[in-house]
Amino acid sequence: MEIRELDSRTASDEDLLTIHRIEAACAHEQPFRSPELSLAYYRVWTDGDRRWWLAGELGAAVLMSMPPSFNQVQLMVLPAARRRGIGTALLASVVASAREQGLQSFFAHHSDEAGAAFARRVGAVDDQREVRSKLRLREVELREPLLPVGWRLQTWTGAAPEELIDSYARARAAIDDAPTPGDMSLEPIDAAWVRRMEQTAVARGRESRVTVAVDAEGVVGSFTDVRVSPPPSPVSTTDDTATLVEARGLGLAFAVKAESLRRLRDERPDVEVIRTMNAEQNVAMRAVNTKLGFVPVVIETTTVLSL
Ligand SMILES: CC(C)(COP(=O)(O)OP(=O)(O)OC[C@H]1O[C@@H](n2cnc3c(N)ncnc32)[C@H](O)[C@@H]1OP(=O)(O)O)[C@@H](O)C(=O)NCCC(=O)NCCS
């Protein structure tokens, strides 16, 4: 099987739609995202490097590397084409490229027996598990959020207001406490990163809807960011949610998420489902999500391959 490397920024729609079809066939969450959104994801990203490989129309792999050490791989083979060595061949291309780039390790996810067996066979070591959950926006009862005295909620769509950008970037950086597979790390988040990320969302045709909790001094203590495509867009995804360490335990994460979802429900009648993903051991975030009405759909195990 010939393996062909692609630069997804310049690849043809046809090649990218082949990747989309393979991803959709391997996905546990259905309906899968639209082909248009897949193309936007493949072509536009914020930081780091991405390389794709295609095995004809049967399998695809991507190596997404972000300095200093957050390296993720996706490896997918159509169910009807498995156990013919295609996954092995794709992985060989990924490993060769990762070594050439000087990477020490990368992680991938598996969520069924085939993926687990493949990972074991190639010597990857299982790490944390991630829970993918969904909320049916039209069916859950979303209580009006209550805030501690002195706090207020603020919501915007698109770019953060200039007067909040630094404080908002610090709240976004609180996501760094979220557990990562193999203790891999990312560059620290700052205001410039937030601006790049906002531009990425625009270039992908995504609306970024941010709700923050702000204290009396104007400090952003907690935020949530949901992403949605232009209507009709039945599925929306949570980007990130985090609370500053010193503001935890006050109910802020619940408040920002409840507010964000209530507004989305009222302003976007086309949105039916919200998806999110959390590390299984992230008890606090999962408790907030459960209280809001999210229900688990699938558990994915991260597995780390050291090079
Ligand atoms: C994992 C995946 C990419 C494997 O693709 P593939 O082309 O079928 O893999 P290969 O044919 O190269 O398999 C290589 C070895 O992995 C192991 N393996 C793969 N699938 C297996 C299965 N269903 N049961 C048991 N062992 C399996 C075997 O040791 C196999 O060698 P063998 O066929 O000689 O016994 C494919 O099942 C898939 O797309 N799964 C969904 C996505 C996923 O989980 N990707 C992440 C993997 S970490």
Side-chain angles (χ1 to χ4, degrees):
M1 170 61 59
E2 190 215 335
I3 307 290
R4 185 158 58 93
E5 185 168 349
L6 293 183
D7 175 347
S8 63
R9 287 197 212 263
T10 54
S12 65
D13 282 6
E14 196 189 337
D15 279 341
L16 297 185
L17 288 170
T18 301
I19 297 176
H20 167 80
R21 277 193 295 277
I22 296 167
E23 245 202 293
C26 295
H28 289 272
E29 288 181 317
Q30 298 295 339
F32 192 61
R33 62 172 175 255
S34 69
E36 295 75 27
L37 185 54
S38 277
L39 262 57
Y41 280 154
Y42 301 150
R43 290 209 165 108
V44 186
W45 62 91
T46 302
D47 285 333
D49 183 71
R50 294 188 178 192
R51 297 180 190 197
W52 279 95
W53 291 267
L54 263 180
E57 305 209 324
L58 304 177
V62 59
L63 169 60
M64 301 178 269
S65 50
M66 283 200 275
S69 64
F70 198 90
N71 308 315
Q72 182 174 0
V73 164
Q74 254 180 285
L75 184 66
M76 302 156 288
V77 175
L78 287 181
R82 292 183 185 169
R83 300 304 287 273
R84 289 197 228 150
I86 298 173
T88 303
L90 281 164
L91 183 68
S93 298
V94 172
V95 166
S97 173
R99 289 205 170 115
E100 202 183 283
Q101 293 179 57
L103 309 185
Q104 312 272 300
S105 62
F106 56 71
F107 74 95
H109 291 106
H110 59 76
S111 53
D112 57 21
E113 199 28 59
F118 181 86
R120 270 196 305 276
R121 155 91 177 236
V122 303
V125 178
D126 285 353
D127 203 292
Q128 68 186 39
R129 305 203 307 168
E130 314 265 4
V131 184
R132 284 187 182 271
S133 313
K134 75 172 178 192
L135 174 139
R136 295 202 160 278
L137 194 57
R138 308 287 140 196
E139 291 168 19
V140 293
E141 194 194 323
L142 293 166
R143 283 187 278 132
E144 196 175 332
L146 290 174
L147 282 172
V149 177
W151 290 86
R152 67 183 169 85
L153 294 169
Q154 185 169 337
T155 297
W156 65 80
T157 295
E162 206 47 53
E163 68 276 12
L164 283 182
I165 182 71
D166 291 323
S167 185
Y168 170 52
R170 276 193 293 279
R172 288 214 71 123
I175 197 81
D176 284 351
D177 293 354
T180 59
D183 284 331
M184 293 182 186
S185 56
L186 291 158
E187 302 280 15
I189 288 176
D190 58 13
W193 179 88
V194 171
R195 290 301 187 216
R196 288 199 300 282
M197 179 271 297
E198 290 171 346
Q199 284 157 10
T200 300
V202 171
R204 286 174 166 175
R206 297 286 270 173
E207 191 177 274
S208 159
R209 301 169 59 97
V210 178
T211 298
V212 295
V214 187
D215 75 5
E217 272 82 54
V219 173
V220 174
S222 187
F223 80 95
T224 192
D225 179 358
V226 287
R227 300 289 169 90
V228 60
S229 293
S233 174
V235 179
S236 163
T237 47
T238 306
D239 183 62
D240 277 336
T241 303
T243 300
L244 291 181
V245 175
E246 55 274 28
R248 289 182 190 166
L250 300 176
L252 299 182
F254 179 83
V256 292
K257 285 201 83 160
E259 171 77 359
S260 159
L261 293 171
R262 283 163 64 93
R263 282 173 174 264
L264 188 64
R265 183 190 59 190
D266 296 347
E267 292 164 19
R268 289 293 303 265
D270 56 308
V271 177
E272 290 161 23
V273 168
I274 320 296
R275 290 181 179 153
T276 194
M277 182 161 140
N278 310 104
E280 190 178 39
Q281 74 269 36
N282 194 343
V283 178
M285 197 64 243
R286 289 186 55 221
V288 166
N289 285 337
T290 303
K291 217 157 94 173
L292 288 160
F294 279 90
V295 288
V297 176
V298 63
I299 294 185
E300 297 193 337
T301 302
T302 58
T303 190
V304 179
L305 188 67
S306 299
L307 301 168

